[in-house]
Amino acid sequence: ATFFSLLQKALKEILSRADVVLSTLTSASTDGPLKLLPADHFNLAVLDEAAQSIEVACWLPLLQVPRCLLAGDHLQLPPTIISHEAAESGLAKTLMERVVGHHGDAAVRMLTTQYRMNKSIMQWASQELYNNSLEAHSSVANHVLRDLPGVQSTIETDLALLLIDTSGCDLTELEVD
């Protein structure tokens, strides 16, 4: 047996015994390692950060499962589309946006407790995007950089949020045609 055939056999064995398989969208296609498994092997796909993924990439794993869960936030970062023409032609619209647009609140389960940032940083998003429905978990609500090991207390590390007015500093935004 060749090295490649032994590798394929081992990969098939590992994948077929796994309870959970983590993958990128593109490697979950029928051209990737999952081609070694029967077409009906998985009953659920969970697409993390689905609001940052172009729709066509989402369909690669979704065509192989009867059910899916799209995780992410369609009000936050969109997919990165370099071509303005492609974006204007619809590539910038995500599957998550399409599902939310079609099904509305019935398709959304909002998580209101966030575990990543200080409440001062979270407050803007809560007010502007989520009708003041977010709250910072107590484990992070008052965290600042100085709380990290080895970080000294300074004005920059004592504050959770420091806004600097750059008007009049002769800075310009990058403009792309």
Side-chain angles (χ1 to χ4, degrees):
T2 68
F3 174 76
F4 183 72
S5 64
L6 291 173
L7 181 63
Q8 295 285 87
K9 183 178 178 182
L11 192 53
K12 181 177 181 180
E13 176 85 15
I14 291 167
L15 288 172
S16 64
R17 290 181 183 213
D19 292 327
V20 175
V21 175
L22 303 176
S23 168
T24 64
L25 293 174
T26 52
S27 64
S29 75
T30 53
D31 290 332
L34 300 184
K35 70 182 173 196
L36 302 171
L37 299 174
D40 62 349
H41 184 78
F42 298 104
N43 63 6
L44 173 69
V46 178
L47 278 59
D48 192 20
E49 299 297 357
Q52 293 183 27
S53 304
I54 61 172
E55 181 174 353
V56 68
C58 292
W59 285 109
L60 294 170
L62 294 183
L63 291 173
Q64 302 177 60
V65 294
R67 299 178 309 139
C68 75
L69 179 114
L70 302 178
D73 187 345
H74 63 288
L75 300 177
Q76 295 286 331
L77 292 173
T80 301
I81 310 294
I82 304 299
S83 166
H84 292 292
E85 182 180 348
E88 290 171 4
S89 296
L91 191 62
K93 186 163 188 161
T94 66
L95 179 61
M96 182 173 266
E97 286 177 294
R98 193 177 305 281
V99 168
V100 171
H102 185 70
H103 296 286
D105 288 342
V108 176
R109 299 297 176 268
M110 183 170 164
L111 304 178
T112 56
T113 303
Q114 64 82 26
Y115 298 86
R116 294 183 177 178
M117 67 189 90
N118 182 292
K119 63 185 174 188
S120 298
I121 299 170
M122 178 214 64
Q123 193 61 43
W124 180 88
S126 184
Q127 289 172 345
E128 295 297 317
L129 301 172
Y130 307 110
N131 200 25
N132 288 314
S133 61
L134 293 181
E135 68 178 54
H137 188 266
S138 60
S139 65
V140 297
N142 297 304
H143 270 200
V144 291
L145 287 175
R146 72 155 187 262
D147 296 336
L148 296 173
V151 176
Q152 295 198 3
S153 179
T154 67
I155 190 168
E156 292 88 1
T157 63
D158 289 348
L159 298 172
L161 181 62
L162 176 62
L163 301 175
I164 300 172
D165 183 359
T166 60
S167 61
C169 293
D170 211 16
L171 300 173
T172 58
E173 297 293 324
L174 175 66
E175 291 185 23
V176 179
D177 294 328

